[in-house]
């Protein structure tokens, strides 16, 4: 009986040692499994203000969430807004560089340039930049080179199409005010519009609606010139002022065409352009690839294949503009 009791004690001791050994061996595995994920830091550099462009950036962050990035868990954002002042962009870009962000996301030509001037090493992803080759941001669409890539749109190619749409909707629009801005790419768009205007037998007059105090002066100019249409260039400055510009068109009682459907939220008549919300969502894929080790120089710049034609029927009725069924059936979105 004594030997039996000793054998049981030996067996129990052996089981305990084995169990402890298993736990000791398993400990490093469990510690490794519970190690927190790396938090990637993405800098956002915006020309506008949080109220003006914040909703668009939500589509960008939603795109990242679908790819598995959760703010506070494995990704963090450093947001910088220039509030429509291009002179602030350089300092804001420098702040993001000092923060040592992993990627800088910027959706406008002017802010992409500021980011590129601030760093030649931190990857930069842009969305919907106008002709990045001509802007000097990349070497070519297929082989961007350097630290910059993203999605681009050649606004000059859309300029003639927008003018044609406006003259279809409002055939009497033969004297069209052209809302320009100070950005370099605005000149190339204006040149293309003037070329298309000659073909269509239309005359254009450049105007500027950058601040509300310019509102009354430009209204007087248009009435003196007898304008009967309004065309808004696709620039960051105009987008940031889209509420003011849409209200201006309403006050002038002019049929107007805008470069993005977001203008229609403030009473704009029609828009034709890229699906900005989709592209902000889509470009999150570039950030994902870069965070996983891809080089911007190896990621070709893509151009949108998806365009939107939107009509605000409430504004059409208020202006007395009759939209034919042949035009309505072509619209991607109709606001009743």
């Amino acid at each position: 009986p004594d030997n039996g009791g000793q054998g049981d004690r030996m067996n129990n001791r052996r089981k305990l040692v084995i169990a402890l050994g298993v736990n000791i061996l398993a400990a490093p595995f469990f510690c490794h499994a519970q190690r927190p994920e790396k938090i990637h830091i993405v800098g956002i550099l915006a020309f506008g203000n949080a109220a003006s462009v914040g909703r668009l950036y939500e589509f960008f962050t939603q795109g990242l969430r679908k790819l598995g990035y959760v703010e506070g868990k494995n990704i963090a954002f450093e947001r910088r807004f220039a509030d429509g002042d291009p002179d602030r962009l350089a300092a804001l870009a420098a702040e993001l560089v000092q923060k040592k962000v992993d990627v800088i996301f910027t959706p406008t030509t002017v802010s992409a340039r500021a980011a590129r001037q601030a760093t030649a090493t931190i990857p930069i992803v842009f969305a919907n930049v106008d002709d990045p080759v001509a802007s000097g941001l990349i070497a070519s669409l297929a082989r961007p080179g350097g630290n910059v890539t993203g999605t681009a749109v050649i606004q000059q190619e859309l300029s003639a199409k927008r003018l044609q749409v406006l003259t279809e909707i409002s055939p009497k629009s033969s004297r069209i005010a052209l809302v320009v801005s100070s950005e370099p790419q605005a000149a190339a768009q204006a040149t293309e519009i003037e070329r298309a205007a000659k073909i269509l037998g239309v005359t254009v007059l450049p105007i500027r609606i950058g601040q509300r105090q310019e509102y009354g002066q430009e209204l007087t100019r248009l009435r003196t010139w007898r304008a009967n249409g309004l065309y808004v260039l696709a620039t960051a400055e105009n987008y940031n002022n889209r509420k003011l510009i849409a209200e201006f068109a309403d006050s002038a009682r002019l049929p107007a065409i805008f470069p993005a459907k977001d203008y229609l939220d403030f009473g704009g008549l029609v828009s034709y352009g890229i699906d900005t919300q989709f592209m902000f969502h889509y470009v999150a894929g570039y950030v994902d690839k870069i965070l996983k080790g891809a080089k911007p120089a190896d990621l070709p710049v893509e151009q949108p294949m998806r365009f939107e034609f939107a009509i605000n029927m409430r504004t059409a009725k208020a202006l007395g503009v009759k939209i034919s069924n042949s035009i309505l059936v072509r619209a991607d979105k109709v606001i009743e």
Side-chain angles (χ1 to χ4, degrees):
D2 290 341
N3 288 339
Q6 186 177 0
D8 289 341
R9 285 194 296 274
M10 289 292 291
N11 286 335
N12 290 339
R13 190 178 298 125
R14 197 173 292 116
K15 290 176 182 178
L16 178 62
V17 169
I18 291 171
L20 288 172
V22 169
N23 287 336
I24 291 169
L25 290 171
F29 172 78
F30 287 117
C31 288
H32 176 74
Q34 292 172 355
R35 186 176 300 163
E37 293 185 61
K38 176 185 176 180
I39 295 183
H40 301 284
I41 304 174
V42 175
I44 292 178
L45 183 63
F47 173 80
N49 55 51
S52 175
V53 297
R55 188 168 63 93
L56 279 178
Y57 285 93
E58 274 300 306
F59 290 99
F60 170 65
T61 55
Q62 284 172 16
L64 287 171
R65 280 197 293 274
K66 285 192 175 181
L67 293 167
Y69 296 93
V70 179
E71 190 168 5
K73 180 182 177 184
N74 56 3
I75 198 167
F77 298 100
E78 289 286 341
R79 299 172 174 86
R80 298 293 185 274
F81 297 94
D83 297 328
D85 183 356
D87 295 333
R88 294 185 58 201
L89 286 169
L92 295 176
E95 285 182 19
L96 294 178
V97 173
Q98 290 171 359
K99 289 282 185 179
K100 296 181 180 179
V101 298
D102 296 301
V103 182
I104 297 175
F105 171 61
T106 178
T108 61
T109 305
V110 64
S111 52
R113 280 176 170 163
R116 180 63 184 84
Q117 289 168 1
T119 178
T121 55
I122 295 175
I124 298 166
V125 174
F126 55 68
N128 308 336
V129 161
D130 186 5
D131 200 347
V133 176
S135 299
L137 291 169
I138 60 173
S140 71
L141 297 179
R143 297 181 180 276
N147 62 321
V148 185
T149 189
T151 63
V153 58
I154 312 302
Q155 291 290 354
Q156 294 94 298
E157 295 177 359
L158 292 174
S159 298
K161 177 65 177 178
R162 289 193 186 104
L163 190 61
Q164 180 185 342
V165 170
L166 178 58
T167 55
E168 280 186 71
I169 287 174
S170 179
K172 293 181 180 179
S173 294
S174 59
R175 301 172 68 82
I176 297 174
L178 190 63
V179 182
V180 300
S181 72
S182 59
E183 294 154 84
Q185 70 271 23
Q189 290 183 47
T191 299
E192 180 60 27
I193 292 165
E194 288 170 358
R195 185 195 66 78
K198 289 180 181 178
I199 296 172
L200 293 170
V202 170
T203 306
V204 296
L205 173 72
I207 65 170
R208 185 91 178 269
I209 312 294
Q211 299 176 10
R212 190 166 289 279
Q213 50 263 41
E214 298 169 335
Y215 202 109
Q217 177 184 342
E218 295 295 8
L219 272 177
T220 301
R221 282 186 67 203
L222 293 193
R223 285 165 183 158
T224 302
W225 189 64
R226 290 177 291 123
N228 49 25
L230 189 76
Y231 182 115
V232 180
L233 290 188
T235 69
E237 182 180 315
N238 284 345
Y239 184 87
N240 195 51
N241 293 323
R242 63 191 182 280
K243 182 176 186 293
L244 175 65
I245 293 171
E247 289 174 352
F248 176 87
D250 182 58
S251 295
R253 303 287 299 166
L254 293 175
I257 189 161
F258 303 90
K261 70 178 181 183
D262 293 349
Y263 287 82
L264 274 57
D265 294 337
F266 302 104
L269 176 62
V270 296
S271 67
Y272 182 80
I274 58 173
D275 185 342
T276 308
Q277 296 176 3
F278 171 79
M279 294 310 294
F280 266 63
H281 192 282
Y282 179 82
V283 82
Y286 278 87
V287 174
D288 174 51
K289 289 175 183 176
I290 289 170
L291 293 179
K292 289 176 178 174
K295 304 294 183 185
D298 301 327
L299 298 176
V301 171
E302 297 185 43
Q303 296 185 77
M305 300 299 292
R306 185 168 161 178
F307 299 92
E308 281 189 317
F309 176 32
I311 302 173
N312 189 330
M313 290 302 293
R314 292 199 301 266
T315 301
K317 290 173 184 175
L319 294 174
V321 176
K322 294 182 179 179
I323 309 293
S324 67
N325 287 332
S326 61
I327 293 175
L328 278 174
V329 296
R330 287 158 44 194
D332 300 290
K333 182 176 182 179
V334 177
I335 300 173
E336 296 291 352

